[in-house]
Amino acid sequence: MPPVDSDAHHGHPPITADIAVVGAGLSGLVAAATAYAAGKSVVVLDQEPEASVGGLAHWSFGGLFMIDTPEQRRLGVRDSTELALSDWLASAAFDRPADVQARAWAEAYVDFAAGEKRTWLKSLGVGIFPLVQWAERGGYGPQGHGNTVPRFHVTWGTGPALVHPFLAKVQEGVAAGKVRMCFRHRATALTTTAGRVTGVSGQVLEPSTAGRGQASSRVAVGDFDVTAGAVVVTTGGIGGNHDVVRQQWPGGNAPAAMLSGVPASVDGEFLPAVATTGGSLINGDRMWHYPEGIRNYESVWPQHGIRILPGPSSLWLDATGTQLPAPLFPGFDSLGALRHIVASNHGYSWFVLNRTIALKELALSGSEQNPDLTGKDLRLLASRLKPGADSPIQRFLDRGEDFVRADSVRELAAGMNNLTGNPLIDAGSLEALVQARDRQVSSGLGKDPQLAAIRAARRFATDKLMRVAPPHRLTDPAHGPLIAIRLSVLTRKSLGGLQTDLKSRVLSNDGQAIPGLYAAGEAAGFGGGGIHGYRALEGTFLGGCLFTGRAAGREAAASV
């Protein structure tokens, strides 16, 4: 893309456009593409170099929450709008007066996910991988948290393929002289005229050669001012700013050390500027961080962590070797597991499994960790199912610092203690737990709810084919060696944000729409300042960026 304002641009003449979009991530690109398609001139501002256009969505697995799709029906999944909304509301547990707008967004989004979402994306050339995944399975009964059925649809081409059609539309606008992409433009304030937001001001940062996701300089070489008919804020969340994460952590007991699932640029620093202008910034204590983070042996950004997407068979233990209680099995309740682990006053936990389970059940979140899906490579995809394949998870087994391998349980316990430098794992207790679990498997029936969940999961075709290993003894030498994986807390998403109405207009603290000001994506809590409430059903973050970005682009364009 030939940016109008390149990294080398040190001058700062006034910029004028119908619409100013602050942030060049997915929601910003969708808003900009939508406003341009409506015939408006658009300027897109982003503090990062051009290499990072698309933001976190580029790095994503491309998961999309959709309802009653052809992909589901082909797999025998019976879904409905009513069932999905019931799951959403049970998981969100809205309980605050400010949640009124968020609930309205939730209801609208479920309708979108059951209706035009798939058709719209297909019209843009976005394909869907045919094997639907089952995330956040819950386990608290029919009225509790979790997806009753699989709804996690993976974009064929992962995150980059989802970004592409909107980036292409924006590039079309650049070529037509209707869109300006201003990289290294760090917005710091909104400007207002007669009670209406009429622009953005900030700093022009020095040129940077930082690659995608790498930390870039914050040295300013000038200032800029943008005058616009409307401003759309799409600056994302706070996951790369651990100080703010700790400040907003519910209960104030954030782990002393955390990994980052997002680049350092996801700093949340523009949100207070919007609040200063009168925008209602709510639900900051609602966040979506993961307990299954591992250190990336090829870090791109500071404290770079990768999330393990687990099947249900690993034993999940806290730092002392105590098994997490039901239903906190891998893949069932991310927030519940996170709360339990943090309450233990340790910032890490363990998966205990064996090689068969690792290669069958463990996937890694992110486009770069799934080259077969990202590259749309069917041959490479087929190799996932072959024993001994050179897969991303195999490379982490070989090179990752969080992995311990052993031929016996006692040797495994010693390795776990050696890795942490803390003798918290009692070898005898761990051996007794593994033996008890293996006896349950050998019984063929048993009372273990985790084994019951594993057997139930294997009734679903996707799980049986590629996500859940047949129940077997962990200590069976044919499935060895034994493996322990140290899991750290991984920062990722804000669930709160700027409160917006269904037109994506930012609301003031008294509930009134601020003229000329819109927000979308994570900056808006994916809609209403917190569309997910307390818990997410997964596959809803990218979709929230699409849904709110399109609404903000449409409404902002209609307002000028």
Side-chain angles (χ1 to χ4, degrees):
M1 176 195 305
V4 172
D5 293 80
S6 70
D7 292 352
H9 172 62
H10 287 205
H12 42 90
I15 302 169
T16 302
D18 294 324
I19 309 295
V21 177
V22 187
L26 179 60
S27 56
L29 293 175
V30 174
T34 303
Y36 160 65
K40 304 302 179 181
S41 62
V42 183
V43 59
V44 181
L45 309 165
D46 198 281
Q47 65 186 2
E48 294 308 298
E50 184 181 353
S52 288
V53 68
L56 188 60
H58 175 91
W59 296 97
S60 74
F61 194 36
L64 296 169
F65 176 95
M66 291 192 284
I67 301 161
D68 192 25
T69 63
E71 290 78 16
Q72 287 176 300
R73 293 193 292 270
R74 281 194 290 269
L75 293 167
V77 175
R78 295 188 292 273
D79 201 3
S80 68
T81 305
E82 294 75 19
L83 181 60
L85 182 60
S86 174
D87 286 348
W88 191 295
L89 296 179
S91 299
F94 295 123
D95 62 358
R96 297 173 178 173
D99 287 335
V100 171
Q101 294 292 343
R103 177 168 178 147
W105 272 101
E107 292 172 351
Y109 181 73
V110 168
D111 285 341
F112 171 66
E116 66 172 313
K117 182 178 182 179
R118 183 181 180 278
T119 303
W120 176 52
L121 290 173
K122 186 177 180 181
S123 74
L124 297 172
V126 177
I128 301 297
F129 185 60
L131 297 179
V132 184
Q133 309 287 312
W134 199 345
E136 287 295 301
R137 302 175 191 227
Y140 298 97
Q143 295 181 304
H145 164 66
N147 284 295
T148 300
V149 299
R151 299 189 175 106
F152 191 88
H153 296 68
V154 178
T155 303
W156 184 231
T158 66
L162 197 59
V163 170
H164 172 73
F166 304 103
L167 180 57
K169 191 68 175 178
V170 168
Q171 289 173 327
E172 176 191 307
V174 171
K178 294 284 286 183
V179 177
R180 300 179 69 174
M181 297 294 288
C182 297
F183 299 105
R184 303 300 284 155
H185 282 58
R186 182 173 182 265
T188 58
L190 295 168
T191 55
T192 60
T193 304
R196 181 182 179 89
V197 172
T198 53
V200 187
S201 61
Q203 300 172 327
V204 178
L205 304 180
E206 69 177 355
S208 173
T209 59
R212 181 180 292 279
Q214 294 177 339
S216 62
S217 165
R218 291 293 178 264
V219 175
V221 296
D223 301 307
F224 73 85
D225 288 288
V226 173
T227 299
V231 175
V232 182
V233 178
T234 62
T235 52
I238 64 172
N241 190 335
H242 288 195
D243 289 340
V244 175
V245 169
R246 290 190 176 93
Q247 290 168 14
Q248 297 186 181
W249 195 280
N253 63 333
M258 297 181 285
L259 301 178
S260 288
V262 297
S265 59
V266 185
D267 54 27
E269 291 185 0
F270 189 62
L271 295 176
V274 182
T276 299
T277 307
S280 177
L281 188 59
I282 61 174
N283 296 326
D285 61 327
R286 293 177 180 171
M287 296 178 280
W288 192 250
H289 306 309
Y290 292 110
E292 313 105 326
I294 55 175
R295 290 158 182 81
N296 191 349
Y297 62 83
E298 292 182 331
S299 294
V300 176
W301 53 77
Q303 299 166 288
H304 189 172
I306 299 292
R307 185 200 175 197
I308 288 181
L309 303 173
S313 298
S314 300
L315 288 176
W316 200 343
L317 315 179
D318 68 18
T320 69
T322 302
Q323 186 175 13
L324 272 60
L328 301 182
F329 312 130
F332 278 65
D333 178 8
S334 294
L335 183 61
L338 178 68
R339 286 174 173 168
H340 184 89
I341 291 161
V342 171
S344 73
N345 295 318
H346 296 282
Y348 67 94
S349 60
W350 296 96
F351 281 165
V352 170
L353 60 162
N354 57 31
R355 178 177 171 79
T356 293
I357 294 172
L359 296 182
K360 176 81 169 184
E361 296 196 5
L362 301 187
L364 299 169
S365 181
S367 56
E368 81 285 10
Q369 300 299 333
N370 294 274
D372 47 1
L373 293 167
T374 301
K376 304 181 182 180
D377 189 327
L378 292 172
R379 182 173 297 181
L380 188 59
L381 179 65
S383 72
R384 273 195 192 217
L385 306 179
K386 297 178 181 178
D390 179 25
S391 63
I393 194 65
Q394 181 62 59
R395 290 175 209 141
F396 269 88
L397 286 170
D398 294 337
R399 301 172 61 183
E401 64 179 276
D402 293 304
F403 293 75
V404 178
R405 288 186 280 192
D407 292 324
S408 71
V409 176
R410 288 184 173 271
E411 182 186 347
L412 189 71
M416 294 161 74
N417 289 332
N418 183 61
L419 179 62
T420 62
N422 202 344
L424 295 177
I425 304 298
D426 179 77
S429 297
L430 181 58
E431 187 172 49
L433 174 61
V434 171
Q435 287 176 347
R437 186 264 185 202
D438 283 357
R439 281 195 292 269
Q440 292 288 304
V441 173
S442 298
S443 76
L445 294 172
K447 60 187 178 183
D448 184 348
Q450 184 173 5
L451 286 174
I454 292 167
R455 292 182 175 117
R458 283 182 56 82
R459 294 171 53 200
F460 174 51
T462 299
D463 282 345
K464 186 172 184 178
L465 177 64
M466 61 184 300
R467 295 293 287 138
V468 184
H472 61 275
R473 291 184 298 112
L474 286 178
T475 52
D476 185 340
H479 298 281
L482 291 166
I483 297 169
I485 307 173
R486 178 180 58 185
L487 307 170
S488 300
V489 173
L490 180 76
T491 65
R492 185 61 68 84
K493 295 292 182 186
S494 312
L495 297 187
L498 296 166
Q499 190 175 31
T500 56
D501 63 14
L502 284 176
K503 293 185 176 182
S504 285
R505 299 180 297 185
V506 175
L507 303 181
S508 62
N509 290 324
D510 62 2
Q512 300 301 306
I514 299 175
L517 185 58
Y518 300 80
E522 192 172 354
F526 302 96
I531 192 173
H532 298 96
Y534 289 93
R535 277 182 168 93
L537 290 174
E538 292 289 14
T540 54
F541 300 122
L542 293 173
C545 289
L546 296 171
F547 191 49
T548 59
R550 188 178 68 163
R554 283 177 174 175
E555 298 297 335
S559 75
V560 298

